[in-house]
Amino acid sequence: MDHVAEPRWLDEREARAWRGFYTMHRRLDGAINRQLTRDAGLSAADYEILVPLSEAPGQRLRARDLGRLVNWEKSRLSHHVGRMERRGLVTRQGCPTDARGAFIQLTDSGRRAMETAAPGHVETVRGCFIDLLSGDELETLASIADRVIQRIDEGAPQDATDTDCGGKSTQRLR
Amino acid sequence: MDHVAEPRWLDEREARAWRGFYTMHRRLDGAINRQLTRDAGLSAADYEILVPLSEAPGQRLRARDLGRLVNWEKSRLSHHVGRMERRGLVTRQGCPTDARGAFIQLTDSGRRAMETAAPGHVETVRGCFIDLLSGDELETLASIADRVIQRIDEGAPQDATDTDCGGKSTQRLR
DNA sequence: CACAAAAAGATGACACGTCAACCTGACGCG
DNA sequence: CGCGTCAGGTTGACGTGTCATCTTTTTGTG
C-alpha cells in the first residue's frame, strides 16, 4: 500500500508570503530594467556584467572568473557577452597562458554606459526596495536568502517522493 | 551650480540583503522549473496559467480575466496561451457576448498535467522555501512585498533626478 | 609519455517576455 | 446616426536564458 501523502497545500499566510515574494521580484525587475534602459540603454544583465569588469584590474576578466563572480552558467555568459560585444560594450581577447581561455575587456563606451547608469540604479534600488526596509528586515531577508540558497545549491533533494499521484482531489493548487 | 548629489551606495548589510534576494529568486525559479518539467513537462508559467483555469467554473476564463488574475500583460498572455494551445494544454474559443473576447479553456490533458505536477510543486515550494521560514519571517516577507509592490505600482517616481552625471568617481557600483 | 577525464568556451535550437504596432469591435456622445 | 476613443487580443521583432552538444586544451594518473 504505497499510499501517497496528501499534499500539504499552503495556508493563507504562507501563500501570501510566497505570492508576494514572487510578484515583488517581478516588479523590481521591471523597475530596474526600465531605469537602466532609459538612462543608459542597458539591461539588468548588462549591468551585472559591467560592474565586476569595471572593478577588475585592467578592466578585464577571464570569462571563467567573471562567470563565477556573477554566478552565471557559462553558456549564458557566452551568449550575453556575445551580444554585448556586438553593441560595443566589451571585447573578447584570447588568453596567452591558457589557450582555451577568453578575456572579456570593458570598452570605454561600456565604462561610460555603466557610469551613466550607476547613480540612477542605486537610487532605484533604494527607492523601490532598500529604503523601504528596516535594519532588522534587511538582516532577516539576508538570513532567509542564505538558508534558501544553501538548501537549493547543496541538498536539493529532488523531492523524489515517488508521487504516484492518486490525483483525485484538487482543491487549493497553490 | 546644479551639483549632483553623490550616489548613496549600498553598505555591506544592504548589499547582502539585495544580492541575497536576487540570487534566492533565481535559485527558486530554477528549482521550481526543474520540478515541473521533470514531473509533468510544464514550465512555471504554464503552471501559473493552469491553476486559475482549473479553479474557474467550466474550466475556462476570458483572456482578460485570466490576465488580471495572474497579473500578466496581455501580450505575454496571448503568446503564452498560443504556445500552450499548440501543446494541447488549452484551447481558445470566441466569446459570444463580446466579439473581441477570447475564452481560454483547459483541456483534459492540461488538467491532468496540472494535477500531476501539483503535489510535487507544493513540496518543492515548501522544501526550498516556506518550510525554511518561521511564522514571523513569513509575515515579515509578506509585509515587505506589500510595501514594495505598492511603491512600484503606484508612486514609482521615475527618479528623474536630472542626473547630469558628473561621472568622476566610480567606486562601489552596487 | 599516453590517454582518459575534466575544464573552458562557443554554438544552435528553442522557450520565454517585452515592446510597439495593429486590428477589430464596443461605447459614449454630439 | 457618425465619429472618436477605448478595450480586448494578436502579431512580429527582438533580447534573453537554458539545454544539449561540440571542440579544443589542460590536467591527472598509470
Side-chain angles (χ1 to χ4, degrees):
Chain A
M1 256 312 170
D2 66 76
H3 71 99
V4 182
E6 184 67 13
R8 295 145 53 224
W9 306 117
L10 304 190
D11 66 29
E12 203 33 63
R13 182 173 64 176
E14 292 164 338
R16 279 214 329 135
W18 175 241
R19 233 190 325 281
F21 171 69
Y22 247 74
T23 68
M24 165 166 59
H25 180 273
R26 176 162 275 281
R27 291 292 194 292
L28 276 168
D29 226 38
I32 288 177
N33 271 297
R34 274 192 298 283
Q35 178 267 323
L36 287 176
T37 303
R38 166 166 50 77
D39 288 4
L42 295 176
S43 69
D46 296 333
Y47 192 79
E48 211 172 333
I49 292 302
L50 292 177
V51 169
L53 281 181
S54 77
E55 287 168 351
Q59 318 264 79
R60 62 190 215 141
L61 285 169
R62 277 286 296 273
R64 176 193 36 165
D65 304 322
L66 178 53
R68 287 195 186 121
L69 282 175
V70 296
N71 221 314
W72 285 13
E73 64 176 272
K74 55 188 185 172
S75 164
R76 181 184 178 191
L77 183 63
S78 180
H79 278 302
H80 200 83
V81 166
R83 291 185 292 254
M84 292 177 74
E85 191 176 24
R86 264 178 256 132
R87 291 190 290 144
L89 298 171
V90 299
T91 58
R92 277 193 247 232
Q93 302 154 6
C95 172
T97 72
D98 184 339
R100 301 166 303 184
F103 272 105
I104 320 288
Q105 165 99 45
L106 189 55
T107 64
D108 282 358
S109 154
R111 178 158 195 77
R112 272 196 304 276
M114 207 215 37
E115 285 170 356
T116 304
H121 178 69
V122 205
E123 223 24 70
T124 302
V125 171
R126 285 201 171 280
C128 297
F129 189 67
I130 295 289
D131 288 353
L132 302 176
L133 275 62
S134 71
D136 277 0
E137 288 174 328
L138 289 173
E139 302 278 13
T140 301
L141 191 62
S143 141
I144 292 175
D146 286 348
R147 244 171 294 161
V148 170
I149 293 169
Q150 191 207 332
R151 176 83 166 83
I152 296 182
D153 279 354
E154 324 301 343
Q158 307 313 61
D159 81 314
T161 355
D162 190 345
T163 53
D164 127 62
C165 271
K168 269 191 313 193
S169 74
T170 296
Q171 329 166 9
R172 310 238 66 257
L173 289 168
R174 288 262 181 186
Chain B
M1 258 308 176
D2 66 73
H3 71 100
V4 182
E6 184 66 13
R8 295 145 52 223
W9 306 117
L10 303 189
D11 66 31
E12 204 33 63
R13 182 172 67 176
E14 291 164 339
R16 281 215 327 135
W18 175 239
R19 232 188 329 278
F21 171 70
Y22 246 74
T23 70
M24 165 165 62
H25 180 273
R26 176 162 274 280
R27 292 293 194 291
L28 276 167
D29 226 38
I32 288 177
N33 271 295
R34 275 191 298 282
Q35 177 267 325
L36 287 175
T37 303
R38 166 165 51 76
D39 289 3
L42 295 176
S43 69
D46 296 333
Y47 192 79
E48 211 173 333
I49 292 303
L50 291 176
V51 169
L53 281 181
S54 77
E55 288 169 349
Q59 319 264 77
R60 62 188 216 142
L61 284 171
R62 277 286 295 273
R64 175 192 38 161
D65 304 322
L66 179 52
R68 288 195 185 123
L69 282 175
V70 296
N71 222 315
W72 285 12
E73 64 178 272
K74 55 187 185 174
S75 164
R76 180 184 179 192
L77 184 63
S78 179
H79 279 301
H80 200 83
V81 166
R83 290 185 293 254
M84 293 177 74
E85 191 177 23
R86 264 176 256 134
R87 292 189 290 145
L89 297 170
V90 300
T91 58
R92 280 193 243 231
Q93 303 154 6
C95 172
T97 72
D98 184 338
R100 301 166 302 181
F103 272 104
I104 320 286
Q105 165 101 42
L106 189 55
T107 65
D108 283 357
S109 155
R111 179 158 194 76
R112 274 196 304 276
M114 209 216 35
E115 285 171 356
T116 303
H121 178 69
V122 204
E123 223 26 68
T124 302
V125 171
R126 284 200 172 282
C128 297
F129 188 68
I130 295 290
D131 289 353
L132 303 177
L133 275 63
S134 72
D136 276 0
E137 288 174 329
L138 289 172
E139 302 279 12
T140 301
L141 191 62
S143 142
I144 291 175
D146 286 348
R147 243 171 294 160
V148 171
I149 293 169
Q150 191 208 331
R151 178 82 165 84
I152 296 183
D153 279 355
E154 324 302 342
Q158 307 314 58
D159 81 313
T161 354
D162 190 343
T163 53
D164 127 62
C165 271
K168 267 190 314 192
S169 75
T170 297
Q171 330 167 8
R172 311 238 65 258
L173 289 168
R174 286 260 183 188

